[in-house]
Amino acid sequence: MRLLSNLKQASLALGMYPFARKLNGILQPAVRRAMQEDIAMYQDLLPEGALCFDIGAHFGAKSETLLKAGAKVVAFEPNPSVFPELTARCAMHPQWALLPAALGNAASLMELNLHTRSGESSFDSRWKGGEGFVASIHVPVTTLDAAIAAFGKPYYCKIDVEGWEDQVLLGLSCPIPLISIEFHLNEDIIPRTIRCLQRLREFGAAEVNVTPAESSTFHLPKWMELDDFIAWFPGDLAQTLPQWPVGDIYIRLKEKG
């Protein structure tokens, strides 16, 4: 693992990251196949050229997938430690833009607690001083409403912000056709996930499905009505998810009429 990390850092420093990514895809066909399956899923879900928001872009895996699916992407990421890989991965695409900020319920400056595993950095104060904690920095925060005013309303909005999803949705006042939020089946996160779903219910009738972690296959045999899903969640997911009790919930508005 350390060797792979060192090789990645060397490729970034030498400006060879795109080449290293292509080589990795050749050497690891399973990785390439998973990417192709992700692309196919979004091509099915999104109209051609759809505007998408990647909130919590991290290293840019979702941005890259959406771009290859034919979308336009605005990425939102406040953690400067991931910018070198994020921009090396996506900045060459003319349909991609980065706003180095977080999203929340109001415009502000907030303290972000950085973690040795950058994907676990969080605004949650319980992260501060715990195992893996690195430092706290202040980062700019804007709202989904402000982002929509600046870039246009997205067709799809992915939100993966380590337990901050409900605060992101409090900064939204208009419906978005398709939204996904990360979920974790633990006692702390389940109530936050339900708050997110209840918030989205305010924007109209919708239906819901789930993808397990690291999967582009919908887990439920058919999409559920949002109200039914809220009443059911987390249901039997802890027993039926194939690997970890983690994944993404997709909420899509139902067409009127």
Side-chain angles (χ1 to χ4, degrees):
M1 203 69 176
R2 173 60 72 94
L3 175 61
L4 289 175
S5 178
N6 289 342
L7 288 172
K8 181 171 72 173
Q9 295 306 314
S11 71
L12 288 167
L14 295 171
M16 298 181 66
Y17 183 77
F19 171 77
R21 290 272 304 154
K22 289 180 181 178
L23 181 60
N24 184 60
I26 294 170
L27 296 177
Q28 299 193 63
V31 173
R32 184 175 68 254
R33 187 163 53 249
M35 168 69 84
Q36 291 168 343
E37 290 172 355
D38 287 347
I39 293 168
M41 182 185 79
Y42 285 109
Q43 287 175 331
D44 287 341
L45 286 172
L46 306 175
E48 179 69 25
L51 175 63
C52 301
F53 284 179
D54 183 2
I55 301 174
H58 196 227
F59 290 139
K62 187 69 72 176
S63 281
E64 182 181 31
T65 298
L66 292 168
L67 290 164
K68 290 185 176 182
K72 302 174 184 176
V73 181
V74 180
F76 301 83
E77 175 55 57
N79 185 350
S81 72
V82 306
F83 290 169
E85 184 170 352
L86 173 60
T87 55
R89 195 170 193 165
C90 300
M92 78 291 292
H93 294 277
Q95 301 291 352
W96 184 80
L98 170 65
L99 188 68
L103 271 69
N105 61 12
S108 64
L109 281 176
M110 289 192 63
E111 191 173 67
L112 178 67
N113 300 302
L114 303 181
H115 196 279
T116 50
R117 294 186 294 273
S118 55
E120 296 183 18
S121 299
S122 174
F123 289 119
D124 193 324
S125 60
R126 291 174 296 180
W127 264 243
K128 191 171 184 177
E131 184 179 354
F133 173 76
V134 175
S136 294
I137 61 171
H138 284 87
V139 299
V141 178
T142 187
T143 66
L144 255 174
D145 281 345
I148 289 169
F151 298 103
K153 187 164 87 167
Y155 185 91
Y156 167 54
C157 181
K158 163 243 165 179
I159 309 174
D160 180 356
V161 287
E162 299 305 307
W164 192 248
E165 289 82 1
D166 58 337
Q167 298 302 306
V168 173
L169 291 172
L170 287 175
L172 176 67
S173 63
C174 65
I176 291 174
L178 179 65
I179 291 177
S180 67
I181 57 174
E182 187 184 46
F183 72 88
H184 293 254
L185 298 182
N186 64 51
E187 293 182 1
D188 290 336
I189 301 298
I190 287 173
R192 295 182 186 179
T193 301
I194 292 173
R195 286 198 297 272
C196 290
L197 297 170
Q198 291 170 335
R199 172 64 174 160
L200 291 172
R201 183 168 56 186
E202 299 174 18
F203 297 118
E207 53 189 5
V208 180
N209 212 320
V210 171
T211 56
E214 310 300 330
S215 172
S216 55
T217 301
F218 284 113
H219 184 64
L220 302 178
K222 62 180 181 178
W223 291 69
M224 293 178 65
E225 297 287 334
L226 176 54
D227 283 341
D228 293 341
F229 186 85
I230 292 172
W232 173 82
F233 182 78
D236 62 358
L237 290 175
Q239 291 75 45
T240 61
L241 288 172
Q243 296 186 64
W244 309 287
V246 180
D248 292 292
I249 299 172
Y250 285 77
I251 307 97
R252 66 182 182 189
L253 290 177
K254 297 181 72 174
E255 295 184 5
K256 294 182 179 179

